[in-house]
Amino acid sequence: MHPTRERYAAGRGYLAACTMGLPADVTRAAVRRDLESWSIGAASGVDYSVIHDRARGHAATLLGRHASEIATGSQVSVFAGLVAASAPTGAEIVCVDGDFSSVVGPFLARGDLRVRHVPLAELAGAITDRTWLVSYSLVQSATGEVADAASIASAARAAGALVLVDTTQATGWMPTDSLDADVVICHAYKWLSAPRGAAFAAFSPRAIDELTPHAAGWYSGTDPWASCYGPELHLAADAQRFGVSPAWHAWVGAAAALELAASLDMTEVRSHDVGLANAFRERLGLGASDSAIVAWPDADGSALASLGAAGITASGRAGRARVAFHVWNDEEDVELTAGALGLGRRRATVSAPH
């Protein structure tokens, strides 16, 4: 059992951190205090800014960056959209075939970019001197596959290409503090267990210099409270220029959730989560993996239905059943899930996800 298990009000049979996390005690308390403060008219925009800045610092810790390299927003696709809007006409973007739409859609929507999709294992080799940007998720949402970030970064640097990485399915269960990337985007409502509506992104010096802050607003200045009115353009010199006005109530919960996550040893969390995932993979007859997500073919949805009938919260994606193991889970969850699928303690043969 992970030492933080008791901080969650629920968790038994909840295998859906890859869909939505569960709030820890500190997050629940912060949101309740905020609701009470707001309801009696004691909430303050200035106080929210202080909380937001604290959250920004914790986000920086999780990504291994300085707070000045972090911008905050609401969704992954918005940050990816800023990058897409900065791409020169005809630029080549290399993506993963079947990746989550938030890191693909903004580039396709332009209509004047050359977007190529390749299998994850071939991503590094697909980067050429013609590539302007490679955009991918560190952990694939549909399959749980973990990308070889070092090889991808090496190939991109050799070609002079920019690198965009979405860590929404990674940050919170594995270390993401040493990625070589120009833009690292994460939404905090999954493995980090923050309220939905709190996302953050790290920008390299090159990205800050070359990308245009198309969503510039009052929170894009060094001092947001002095950036409220025109006619001047108020832009921070650092990554805050890409930030947007924060959803205050979401960031109250996010500050508490990110502080807790930043205090954990992510190597230990990964060992716990992947250990449980591999124990379940063994029960399915699948080989060991380096992911906390387990996905297997379930075209007719029967496996997902069996899990739901047994009170197991799981998810289905791209014709697969999908479960995720996190800090609130333990070996009993492996047994319950295997039992729900009729596996018992016997190994079954299931074709590997592809």
Side-chain angles (χ1 to χ4, degrees):
M1 178 181 295
H2 193 271
T4 61
R5 170 66 181 85
E6 296 182 355
R7 307 192 72 159
Y8 299 89
R12 176 66 65 221
Y14 190 82
L15 304 181
C18 54
T19 301
M20 180 171 61
L22 297 175
D25 50 4
V26 289
T27 305
R28 300 193 304 271
V31 171
R32 286 166 178 157
R33 286 194 304 269
D34 177 53
L35 179 59
E36 181 61 23
S37 175
W38 180 31
S39 67
I40 64 174
S44 162
V46 174
D47 290 341
Y48 282 127
S49 291
V50 172
I51 294 170
H52 167 269
D53 287 346
R54 188 163 65 244
R56 187 183 182 204
H58 298 316
T61 298
L62 289 163
L63 296 186
R65 304 295 186 96
H66 188 275
S68 63
E69 297 175 273
I70 302 295
T72 59
S74 58
Q75 304 295 338
V76 168
S77 60
V78 175
F79 281 124
L82 290 175
V83 178
S86 296
T89 299
E92 178 180 274
I93 314 296
V94 181
C95 300
V96 174
D97 188 16
D99 207 340
F100 197 67
S101 60
S102 291
V103 295
V104 177
F107 302 101
L108 294 173
R110 272 281 302 265
D112 61 351
L113 302 177
R114 181 170 179 256
V115 183
R116 291 198 292 124
H117 306 268
V118 300
L120 180 62
E122 300 175 15
L123 188 58
I127 301 169
T128 72
D129 292 342
R130 298 185 302 275
T131 305
W132 182 76
L133 172 86
V134 54
S135 177
Y136 72 100
S137 297
L138 181 59
V139 176
Q140 292 295 297
S141 173
T143 65
E145 292 177 275
V146 181
D148 183 350
S151 294
I152 295 168
S154 178
R157 297 314 179 206
L162 290 163
V163 180
L164 182 156
V165 185
D166 172 20
T167 67
T168 300
Q169 290 288 11
T171 304
W173 74 260
M174 65 177 287
T176 54
D177 57 355
S178 59
L179 293 169
D180 179 7
D182 296 290
V183 183
V184 181
I185 311 173
C186 180
H187 200 304
Y189 78 102
K190 293 183 183 287
W191 300 88
L192 292 167
S193 296
R196 184 169 171 83
F200 51 90
F203 290 81
S204 71
R206 178 184 172 186
I208 292 173
D209 182 57
E210 295 184 14
L211 303 180
T212 302
H214 289 281
W218 76 289
Y219 235 82
S220 302
T222 301
D223 177 4
W225 293 99
S227 309
C228 300
Y229 304 101
E232 294 83 6
L233 174 64
H234 303 278
L235 282 181
D238 60 18
Q240 187 162 320
R241 61 172 48 203
F242 301 107
V244 298
S245 181
W248 283 333
H249 307 298
W251 280 99
V252 169
L258 296 180
E259 181 176 16
L260 175 59
S263 73
L264 302 179
D265 181 341
M266 282 299 154
T267 299
E268 191 277 330
V269 173
R270 176 174 58 188
S271 177
H272 171 86
D273 291 9
V274 174
L276 294 176
N278 279 337
F280 180 63
R281 288 177 66 86
E282 182 179 6
R283 301 293 287 278
L284 285 172
L286 301 175
S289 172
D290 57 355
S291 180
I293 298 173
V294 183
W296 67 98
D298 185 37
D300 63 359
S302 58
L304 188 59
S306 295
L307 293 174
I312 306 294
T313 302
S315 54
R317 293 292 185 275
R320 300 175 178 88
R322 185 182 69 164
V323 296
F325 294 88
H326 202 21
V327 293
W328 48 72
N329 299 122
D330 57 25
E331 292 79 3
E332 185 175 341
D333 290 296
V334 175
E335 296 302 320
L336 290 171
T337 308
L341 296 174
L343 300 178
R345 292 187 175 278
R346 296 173 58 191
R347 292 178 59 175
T349 301
V350 178
S351 58
H354 56 278

